[in-house]
Amino acid sequence: MDPKLVNTISKQVYRRFPEMDGKKPKVRRQATSKGNNSDSETTFLLTYLGKAKVQGGKTINRYVRVVANDKGKIIKISTSR
């Protein structure tokens, strides 16, 4: 994936999840999917790992997964602990 697209996607992730600011994602290509049209689209999975503070001053690992197409459009974002 183009590094400029990764930076654009990362800026959107940093706005939504400030604890991920400055973290570089792991980028993996996913299987090709076919939508309503006959054109196939390559998607990428970007995985961010950060630490979030919780009550009591403790911290937990937080993962943010972003699925984006080869043009840099975010398709889905999910988080987990």
Side-chain angles (χ1 to χ4, degrees):
M1 182 173 222
D2 182 23
K4 289 182 183 180
L5 293 177
V6 173
N7 286 337
T8 302
I9 294 168
S10 293
K11 286 180 185 178
Q12 294 177 43
V13 170
Y14 300 155
R15 275 195 299 258
R16 188 165 172 188
F17 304 99
E19 67 272 12
M20 299 296 162
D21 194 13
K23 305 292 183 189
K24 297 294 180 190
K26 290 182 184 177
V27 180
R28 288 186 288 166
R29 173 175 273 169
Q30 290 191 315
T32 305
S33 63
K34 294 187 177 184
N36 294 336
N37 56 16
S38 62
D39 295 334
S40 61
E41 181 178 89
T42 303
T43 58
F44 293 89
L45 174 66
L46 291 81
T47 308
Y48 298 82
L49 171 62
K51 296 203 181 276
K53 289 188 178 184
V54 294
Q55 281 185 326
K58 294 183 180 182
T59 60
I60 59 170
N61 288 334
R62 186 170 193 185
Y63 299 90
V64 175
R65 293 170 41 103
V66 179
V67 178
N69 66 12
D70 55 351
K71 295 178 179 83
K73 180 181 177 193
I74 294 177
I75 298 168
K76 182 180 179 181
I77 296 179
S78 63
T79 78
S80 64
R81 300 186 265 160

